Amino acid sequence: MSPEELWNRYSAIWSAPAERRGGELMACLADDATYCDPNGLVEGREALSGYMGGFQESAPGCTFRINSVAHHNGRSLSNWQMLGPDGSALQDGTSFGELSDDGRLRTITGFFFS
């Protein structure tokens, strides 16, 4: 999948129900994937799925919109917005990713802006 498709599919997982997250994470993330944001480091798809579940509890009904994607040489950058249940923009951010040889995300680092 293209980097744009990858980031859009990955961002949708953040609002997906638990029973759908596993397969989607497998499609988007390498086996040794890590996720890091200002709240800490998460290693592995199962741990990230749990982290996403915690996000859903703390921000019910929120979704993400990818505004732009840039990529080169196995690295990718996405600019996104977190949207509230009413579609209003609540937060802006940028996520940096390194891709595995098969094109899935190996590392993701999220940066949040007010």
Side-chain angles (χ1 to χ4, degrees), residues 21-108:
R21 284 196 300 263
E24 286 298 293
L25 286 168
M26 188 168 290
C28 293
L29 301 183
D31 295 338
D32 59 348
T34 61
Y35 172 83
C36 182
D37 69 22
N39 298 310
L41 174 67
V42 179
E43 297 182 10
R45 290 188 291 251
E46 187 174 328
L48 182 53
S49 181
Y51 188 82
M52 290 172 163
F55 163 78
Q56 291 175 8
E57 289 176 16
S58 68
C62 287
T63 59
F64 291 92
R65 174 177 57 214
I66 302 298
N67 294 323
S68 65
V69 174
H71 76 281
H72 64 79
N73 296 306
R75 289 155 177 81
S76 189
L77 190 68
S78 72
N79 293 301
W80 50 263
Q81 285 186 310
M82 182 174 76
L83 306 175
D86 64 354
S88 63
L90 301 177
Q91 187 171 47
D92 293 316
T94 297
S95 291
F96 170 76
E98 292 183 88
L99 304 179
S100 63
D101 289 340
D102 64 8
R104 295 183 293 169
L105 292 161
R106 170 170 284 129
T107 64
I108 304 161

XYZ file of all heavy atoms in Angstrom, residues 21-108:
649
model
N -8.966 -4.395 15.827
C -7.623 -3.811 15.878
C -6.523 -4.805 15.533
O -5.572 -4.457 14.844
C -7.357 -3.213 17.262
C -8.052 -1.894 17.474
C -7.490 -1.135 18.652
N -7.592 -1.803 19.925
C -8.552 -1.595 20.818
N -9.525 -0.737 20.574
N -8.541 -2.239 21.971
N -6.597 -6.041 15.997
C -5.517 -7.008 15.798
C -5.153 -7.219 14.344
O -3.981 -7.120 13.958
N -6.130 -7.494 13.510
C -5.872 -7.722 12.087
C -5.363 -6.482 11.385
O -4.485 -6.559 10.521
N -5.914 -5.336 11.749
C -5.477 -4.090 11.139
C -4.050 -3.740 11.561
O -3.254 -3.278 10.751
C -6.440 -2.953 11.486
C -7.756 -3.038 10.735
C -7.553 -2.933 9.228
O -7.150 -1.859 8.748
O -7.793 -3.930 8.529
N -3.738 -3.959 12.840
C -2.363 -3.707 13.300
C -1.385 -4.631 12.588
O -0.283 -4.217 12.228
C -2.262 -3.853 14.811
C -2.882 -2.709 15.612
C -2.997 -3.072 17.081
C -2.076 -1.427 15.438
N -1.768 -5.872 12.361
C -0.894 -6.804 11.656
C -0.645 -6.333 10.224
O 0.468 -6.442 9.706
C -1.480 -8.214 11.653
C -0.513 -9.240 11.098
S -1.036 -10.934 11.407
C -0.792 -10.995 13.175
N -1.667 -5.779 9.600
C -1.524 -5.301 8.218
C -0.647 -4.055 8.139
O 0.049 -3.858 7.143
C -2.902 -4.996 7.629
N -0.667 -3.224 9.181
C 0.021 -1.930 9.131
C 1.370 -1.895 9.834
O 2.200 -1.048 9.511
C -0.866 -0.851 9.760
S -2.370 -0.502 8.821
N 1.587 -2.788 10.803
C 2.802 -2.717 11.618
C 3.678 -3.946 11.465
O 3.189 -5.076 11.429
C 2.440 -2.583 13.104
C 1.602 -1.378 13.521
C 1.414 -1.389 15.029
C 2.222 -0.081 13.060
N 4.978 -3.725 11.429
C 5.958 -4.812 11.385
C 5.876 -5.629 12.668
O 5.348 -5.173 13.691
C 7.364 -4.229 11.221
N 6.410 -6.836 12.614
C 6.368 -7.730 13.776
C 7.057 -7.134 14.997
O 6.643 -7.391 16.123
C 6.998 -9.081 13.432
C 6.202 -9.833 12.374
O 4.996 -9.550 12.205
O 6.789 -10.703 11.707
N 8.089 -6.349 14.793
C 8.852 -5.770 15.906
C 8.526 -4.286 16.116
O 9.358 -3.512 16.576
C 10.344 -5.959 15.681
C 10.841 -5.326 14.381
O 10.012 -4.932 13.533
O 12.064 -5.222 14.211
N 7.295 -3.888 15.814
C 6.904 -2.479 15.849
C 6.957 -1.880 17.253
O 6.698 -2.557 18.249
C 5.498 -2.315 15.288
N 7.303 -0.597 17.303
C 7.249 0.184 18.535
C 6.505 1.482 18.257
O 6.495 1.983 17.133
C 8.646 0.517 19.089
O 9.358 1.303 18.133
C 9.429 -0.747 19.414
N 5.887 2.006 19.311
C 5.179 3.277 19.243
C 5.638 4.120 20.421
O 5.717 3.625 21.560
C 3.661 3.058 19.320
C 2.900 4.352 19.458
C 2.596 5.119 18.343
C 2.507 4.823 20.700
C 1.930 6.332 18.463
C 1.838 6.028 20.836
C 1.545 6.778 19.715
O 0.891 7.966 19.841
N 5.936 5.386 20.171
C 6.402 6.280 21.221
C 5.691 7.619 21.078
O 5.557 8.130 19.964
C 7.920 6.454 21.089
S 8.656 7.492 22.348
N 5.219 8.155 22.199
C 4.683 9.508 22.226
C 5.067 10.124 23.567
O 5.757 9.461 24.356
C 3.173 9.528 21.930
C 2.295 8.914 23.002
O 2.719 8.811 24.175
O 1.150 8.556 22.679
N 4.667 11.351 23.862
C 5.091 11.969 25.121
C 4.685 11.193 26.375
O 5.254 11.408 27.442
C 4.406 13.343 25.083
C 4.272 13.649 23.632
C 3.978 12.323 22.989
N 3.737 10.269 26.245
C 3.291 9.475 27.393
C 4.121 8.220 27.626
O 3.951 7.551 28.635
C 1.822 9.104 27.229
C 0.950 10.328 27.176
O 1.037 11.207 28.013
N 0.127 10.414 26.141
N 4.997 7.857 26.676
C 5.838 6.690 26.876
C 6.082 5.886 25.618
O 5.714 6.284 24.509
N 6.686 4.729 25.805
C 7.062 3.810 24.730
C 6.251 2.535 24.859
O 6.121 1.986 25.961
C 8.556 3.480 24.815
C 9.097 2.422 23.856
C 9.031 2.915 22.414
C 10.523 2.057 24.229
N 5.707 2.067 23.744
C 4.934 0.832 23.696
C 5.622 -0.088 22.691
O 5.931 0.333 21.574
C 3.477 1.115 23.262
C 2.681 -0.165 23.190
C 2.817 2.109 24.197
N 5.844 -1.330 23.082
C 6.515 -2.287 22.197
C 5.573 -3.419 21.822
O 5.031 -4.089 22.701
C 7.765 -2.842 22.879
C 8.794 -1.760 23.163
C 10.060 -2.301 23.799
O 10.253 -3.527 23.857
O 10.867 -1.470 24.232
N 5.373 -3.609 20.536
C 4.564 -4.716 20.027
C 3.126 -4.326 19.734
O 2.573 -3.390 20.304
N 2.519 -5.090 18.824
C 1.151 -4.806 18.385
C 0.130 -4.992 19.497
O -0.801 -4.196 19.633
C 0.795 -5.681 17.186
C 1.552 -5.288 15.925
C 1.066 -6.033 14.704
N 1.397 -7.434 14.728
C 2.307 -8.017 13.950
N 2.978 -7.304 13.083
N 2.533 -9.296 14.036
N 0.283 -6.029 20.291
C -0.690 -6.283 21.363
C -0.680 -5.152 22.391
O -1.732 -4.676 22.823
C -0.394 -7.620 22.040
C -1.455 -8.026 23.031
C -1.233 -9.422 23.582
O -0.709 -10.296 22.861
O -1.588 -9.623 24.756
N 0.509 -4.704 22.760
C 0.610 -3.598 23.715
C 0.035 -2.316 23.118
O -0.655 -1.548 23.808
C 2.061 -3.392 24.136
N 0.271 -2.080 21.830
C -0.268 -0.889 21.193
C -1.791 -0.963 21.117
O -2.479 0.033 21.325
C 0.338 -0.672 19.805
C -0.134 0.575 19.062
C 0.031 1.838 19.903
C 0.597 0.707 17.735
N -2.340 -2.131 20.858
C -3.787 -2.291 20.839
C -4.379 -1.910 22.197
O -5.394 -1.208 22.269
C -4.174 -3.725 20.467
O -5.580 -3.865 20.439
N -3.740 -2.345 23.267
C -4.196 -1.975 24.602
C -4.089 -0.478 24.841
O -4.980 0.133 25.441
N -3.021 0.112 24.366
C -2.822 1.562 24.492
C -3.925 2.310 23.739
O -4.467 3.307 24.225
C -1.439 1.918 23.964
C -1.012 3.340 24.187
C -0.486 3.747 25.409
C -1.108 4.274 23.175
C -0.073 5.055 25.609
C -0.705 5.584 23.362
C -0.185 5.975 24.585
O 0.213 7.273 24.779
N -4.259 1.814 22.550
C -5.330 2.423 21.763
C -6.668 2.313 22.487
O -7.484 3.234 22.454
C -5.410 1.773 20.383
C -4.250 2.108 19.483
S -4.303 1.104 17.963
C -3.191 2.017 16.915
N -6.904 1.179 23.150
C -8.127 1.017 23.934
C -8.204 2.038 25.058
O -9.263 2.608 25.321
N -7.072 2.303 25.702
C -7.017 3.333 26.739
C -7.307 4.712 26.167
O -8.002 5.523 26.798
N -6.785 4.981 24.975
C -7.081 6.248 24.311
C -8.579 6.379 24.081
O -9.170 7.431 24.350
C -6.323 6.365 22.982
C -6.880 7.434 22.086
C -6.591 8.764 22.316
C -7.725 7.104 21.031
C -7.133 9.769 21.511
C -8.269 8.094 20.226
C -7.970 9.429 20.468
N -9.207 5.324 23.588
C -10.636 5.373 23.308
C -11.452 5.646 24.575
O -12.455 6.358 24.535
C -11.103 4.078 22.648
C -10.586 3.912 21.251
C -10.959 2.583 20.643
O -11.744 1.812 21.199
N -10.395 2.288 19.477
N -11.018 5.088 25.699
C -11.711 5.342 26.964
C -11.546 6.792 27.405
O -12.478 7.384 27.951
C -11.187 4.407 28.048
C -11.599 2.977 27.863
C -10.992 2.046 28.895
O -10.497 2.520 29.945
O -11.012 0.834 28.657
N -10.365 7.362 27.190
C -10.109 8.734 27.642
C -10.625 9.791 26.661
O -10.814 10.950 27.051
C -8.615 8.947 27.897
O -7.890 8.897 26.687
N -10.841 9.411 25.417
C -11.312 10.357 24.399
C -12.400 9.690 23.555
O -12.219 9.463 22.361
C -10.143 10.812 23.530
N -13.533 9.363 24.180
C -14.570 8.622 23.448
C -15.071 9.377 22.219
O -15.277 10.582 22.261
C -15.688 8.442 24.482
C -15.415 9.424 25.569
C -13.940 9.717 25.530
N -15.201 8.629 21.137
C -15.728 9.191 19.902
C -14.747 9.994 19.076
O -15.095 10.489 18.004
N -13.509 10.115 19.537
C -12.515 10.871 18.786
C -11.944 10.029 17.648
O -11.846 8.806 17.756
C -11.393 11.351 19.701
S -11.908 12.698 20.789
N -11.579 10.695 16.574
C -10.977 10.050 15.411
C -9.795 10.896 14.951
O -9.575 11.994 15.461
C -11.988 9.929 14.252
O -12.447 11.238 13.896
C -13.169 9.044 14.634
N -9.062 10.358 13.990
C -7.916 11.083 13.433
C -8.104 11.269 11.935
O -8.628 10.394 11.252
C -6.614 10.325 13.702
C -6.229 10.317 15.136
C -6.630 9.285 15.971
C -5.497 11.362 15.681
C -6.285 9.284 17.313
C -5.149 11.374 17.022
C -5.548 10.334 17.843
N -7.632 12.413 11.458
C -7.635 12.707 10.028
C -6.197 12.997 9.616
O -5.520 13.836 10.215
C -8.513 13.921 9.735
C -8.436 14.346 8.269
C -9.353 15.501 7.927
N -9.084 16.663 8.764
C -10.016 17.516 9.185
N -11.285 17.315 8.878
N -9.697 18.556 9.921
N -5.732 12.299 8.596
C -4.396 12.548 8.053
C -4.511 13.696 7.051
O -5.277 13.621 6.086
C -3.832 11.282 7.369
C -3.764 10.115 8.340
C -2.471 11.579 6.745
C -2.870 10.321 9.533
N -3.759 14.756 7.294
C -3.808 15.930 6.425
C -2.764 15.892 5.323
O -3.001 16.396 4.227
C -3.646 17.208 7.244
C -4.814 17.430 8.168
O -5.954 17.145 7.824
N -4.539 17.920 9.360
N -1.600 15.312 5.615
C -0.559 15.211 4.598
C 0.433 14.127 4.993
O 0.572 13.796 6.171
C 0.170 16.546 4.407
O 0.871 16.903 5.581
N 1.086 13.583 3.989
C 2.100 12.549 4.185
C 3.283 12.876 3.283
O 3.111 13.232 2.113
C 1.552 11.143 3.821
C 2.654 10.099 3.875
C 0.394 10.764 4.729
N 4.479 12.769 3.838
C 5.713 12.878 3.061
C 6.536 11.631 3.348
O 6.496 11.106 4.470
C 6.480 14.139 3.459
N 7.243 11.149 2.364
C 8.072 9.968 2.607
C 9.242 9.906 1.625
O 9.182 10.456 0.531
C 7.239 8.686 2.520
C 6.903 8.292 1.120
N 5.900 8.884 0.397
C 7.457 7.370 0.301
C 5.838 8.340 -0.801
N 6.775 7.424 -0.899
N 10.301 9.254 2.099
C 11.452 8.945 1.260
C 12.343 7.973 2.011
O 12.356 7.931 3.240
C 12.237 10.207 0.871
C 12.859 10.929 2.036
N 14.030 10.520 2.636
C 12.450 12.024 2.715
C 14.324 11.333 3.637
N 13.369 12.257 3.708
N 13.044 7.152 1.285
C 14.081 6.273 1.827
C 13.652 5.492 3.062
O 14.397 5.382 4.034
C 15.341 7.095 2.136
C 15.936 7.693 0.888
O 16.218 6.982 -0.067
N 16.090 9.006 0.872
N 12.444 4.955 3.034
C 11.980 4.124 4.142
C 11.549 4.895 5.381
O 11.371 4.310 6.443
N 11.369 6.198 5.245
C 10.915 7.040 6.350
C 9.677 7.792 5.899
O 9.525 8.108 4.724
C 12.017 8.014 6.776
C 13.149 7.311 7.478
C 14.446 8.097 7.348
N 15.529 7.458 8.072
C 16.235 6.439 7.634
N 15.964 5.919 6.451
N 17.212 5.930 8.347
N 8.813 8.088 6.864
C 7.554 8.702 6.508
C 7.103 9.654 7.606
O 7.345 9.415 8.790
C 6.514 7.587 6.304
O 5.338 8.082 5.765
N 6.434 10.713 7.200
C 5.965 11.731 8.121
C 4.506 12.026 7.798
O 4.158 12.271 6.642
C 6.803 13.001 7.933
C 6.643 14.117 8.929
C 7.183 13.682 10.301
C 7.394 15.352 8.434
N 3.654 11.970 8.817
C 2.245 12.312 8.600
C 1.855 13.460 9.524
O 2.247 13.486 10.690
C 1.337 11.109 8.848
O 1.256 10.811 10.219
N 1.115 14.399 8.968
C 0.532 15.479 9.753
C -0.945 15.159 9.914
O -1.619 14.825 8.931
C 0.726 16.828 9.048
C 2.191 17.197 9.010
O 2.837 17.328 10.031
N 2.730 17.339 7.810
N -1.443 15.249 11.145
C -2.795 14.804 11.431
C -3.517 15.749 12.384
O -2.896 16.618 12.992
C -2.777 13.395 12.015
C -1.814 13.192 13.165
C -0.544 12.674 13.090
C -2.016 13.505 14.549
N 0.035 12.655 14.335
C -0.854 13.149 15.257
C -3.080 14.049 15.266
C -0.717 13.318 16.633
C -2.948 14.224 16.647
C -1.777 13.853 17.306
N -4.811 15.540 12.487
C -5.647 16.223 13.465
C -6.474 15.187 14.188
O -6.967 14.226 13.578
C -6.598 17.218 12.806
C -5.945 18.487 12.342
C -6.966 19.469 11.831
O -7.815 19.127 11.017
N -6.877 20.698 12.306
N -6.620 15.386 15.492
C -7.563 14.595 16.268
C -8.877 15.371 16.262
O -8.905 16.561 16.555
C -7.079 14.387 17.700
C -8.034 13.522 18.500
S -7.415 13.103 20.161
C -7.690 14.664 21.001
N -9.942 14.665 15.890
C -11.252 15.275 15.783
C -12.163 14.776 16.892
O -12.145 13.587 17.232
C -11.882 14.932 14.431
C -11.046 15.255 13.196
C -11.746 14.745 11.940
C -10.755 16.741 13.103
N -12.966 15.667 17.435
C -13.943 15.288 18.443
C -15.128 14.588 17.803
O -15.250 14.537 16.571
N -16.022 14.051 18.618
C -17.195 13.355 18.088
C -18.037 14.212 17.142
O -18.688 13.688 16.249
C -17.992 12.985 19.338
C -16.997 12.984 20.449
C -15.968 14.016 20.080
N -17.991 15.537 17.317
C -18.753 16.439 16.448
C -17.974 16.858 15.205
O -18.430 17.670 14.411
C -19.198 17.669 17.228
C -18.033 18.526 17.717
O -16.854 18.119 17.547
O -18.299 19.606 18.282
N -16.759 16.326 15.030
C -15.933 16.639 13.873
C -15.037 17.853 14.046
O -14.287 18.202 13.139
N -15.094 18.483 15.211
C -14.244 19.661 15.443
C -12.806 19.229 15.730
O -12.560 18.187 16.337
C -14.780 20.484 16.620
O -14.741 19.718 17.813
N -11.863 20.042 15.269
C -10.442 19.752 15.491
C -10.084 20.029 16.947
O -10.301 21.130 17.448
C -9.586 20.594 14.569
N -9.548 19.014 17.634
C -9.165 19.144 19.033
C -7.665 19.278 19.229
O -7.221 19.895 20.186
C -9.666 17.937 19.835
C -11.168 17.691 19.840
C -11.486 16.417 20.611
C -11.907 18.887 20.411
N -6.902 18.666 18.339
C -5.449 18.683 18.497
C -4.790 18.410 17.155
O -5.306 17.639 16.344
C -5.017 17.621 19.508
C -3.562 17.666 19.873
C -3.254 16.742 21.038
O -3.683 15.597 21.057
N -2.526 17.250 22.008
N -3.639 19.043 16.945
C -2.819 18.785 15.765
C -1.603 17.977 16.197
O -1.175 18.059 17.353
C -2.325 20.099 15.142
C -3.458 20.920 14.561
O -4.319 20.335 13.881
O -3.476 22.138 14.791
N -1.064 17.229 15.261
C 0.127 16.473 15.568
C 0.851 16.019 14.318
O 0.365 16.171 13.195
N 2.006 15.459 14.552
C 2.838 14.892 13.502
C 3.349 13.556 13.995
O 3.717 13.424 15.162
C 4.028 15.821 13.183
O 3.514 17.055 12.683
C 4.951 15.223 12.157
N 3.348 12.573 13.138
C 3.914 11.274 13.475
C 4.996 10.929 12.460
O 4.802 11.088 11.253
C 2.844 10.187 13.491
O 1.960 10.388 14.569
N 6.122 10.474 12.981
C 7.247 10.045 12.161
C 7.288 8.526 12.195
O 7.122 7.912 13.255
C 8.561 10.602 12.715
C 9.773 10.015 12.061
C 10.147 10.414 10.796
C 10.519 9.043 12.709
C 11.261 9.855 10.182
C 11.637 8.484 12.107
C 12.002 8.894 10.842
N 7.488 7.911 11.057
C 7.572 6.463 11.002
C 8.748 5.988 10.176
O 9.135 6.626 9.196
N 9.320 4.886 10.621
C 10.308 4.171 9.815
C 9.625 2.911 9.319
O 8.925 2.236 10.086
C 11.530 3.823 10.643
C 12.335 5.040 11.047
C 13.585 4.653 11.806
O 14.613 4.419 11.154
O 13.512 4.578 13.040
N 9.819 2.594 8.048
C 9.147 1.459 7.437
C 10.040 0.228 7.418
O 11.260 0.328 7.292
C 8.732 1.814 6.010
C 7.846 3.048 5.850
C 7.532 3.286 4.378
C 6.584 2.933 6.660
N 9.396 -0.924 7.531
C 10.116 -2.185 7.383
C 10.308 -2.460 5.896
O 9.756 -1.752 5.043
C 9.311 -3.313 8.042
O 8.066 -3.471 7.384
N 11.061 -3.488 5.578
C 11.324 -3.824 4.172
C 10.042 -4.134 3.400
O 9.985 -3.939 2.193
C 12.279 -5.014 4.070
C 13.694 -4.656 4.492
O 14.034 -3.451 4.504
O 14.459 -5.578 4.831
N 9.007 -4.617 4.102
C 7.751 -4.947 3.418
C 6.769 -3.771 3.397
O 5.621 -3.925 2.995
C 7.103 -6.190 4.020
C 6.677 -6.011 5.469
O 6.737 -4.885 6.007
O 6.261 -7.025 6.080
N 7.207 -2.587 3.832
C 6.385 -1.389 3.730
C 5.490 -1.089 4.913
O 4.764 -0.102 4.902
N 5.529 -1.949 5.934
C 4.737 -1.668 7.140
C 5.535 -0.765 8.075
O 6.761 -0.678 7.987
C 4.365 -2.969 7.854
C 3.434 -3.846 7.030
C 3.024 -5.098 7.771
N 4.174 -5.975 7.962
C 4.178 -7.044 8.753
N 3.097 -7.387 9.437
N 5.262 -7.784 8.872
N 4.836 -0.105 8.981
C 5.488 0.759 9.954
C 6.249 -0.071 10.980
O 5.683 -0.982 11.581
C 4.446 1.637 10.657
C 3.787 2.692 9.776
C 2.482 3.174 10.397
C 4.748 3.857 9.568
N 7.524 0.247 11.182
C 8.343 -0.440 12.186
C 8.418 0.399 13.462
O 8.324 -0.121 14.554
C 9.739 -0.715 11.671
C 10.668 -1.217 12.797
C 11.997 -1.733 12.324
N 11.779 -3.055 11.758
C 12.194 -3.435 10.556
N 12.845 -2.609 9.790
N 11.957 -4.649 10.118
N 8.658 1.683 13.316
C 8.657 2.589 14.469
C 7.745 3.764 14.165
O 7.693 4.245 13.023
C 10.063 3.126 14.802
O 10.528 3.925 13.720
C 11.042 2.002 15.083
N 7.024 4.189 15.177
C 6.155 5.357 15.063
C 6.452 6.243 16.262
O 6.460 5.767 17.404
C 4.670 4.966 15.079
C 4.365 3.956 13.982
C 3.787 6.206 14.959
C 3.085 3.192 14.213
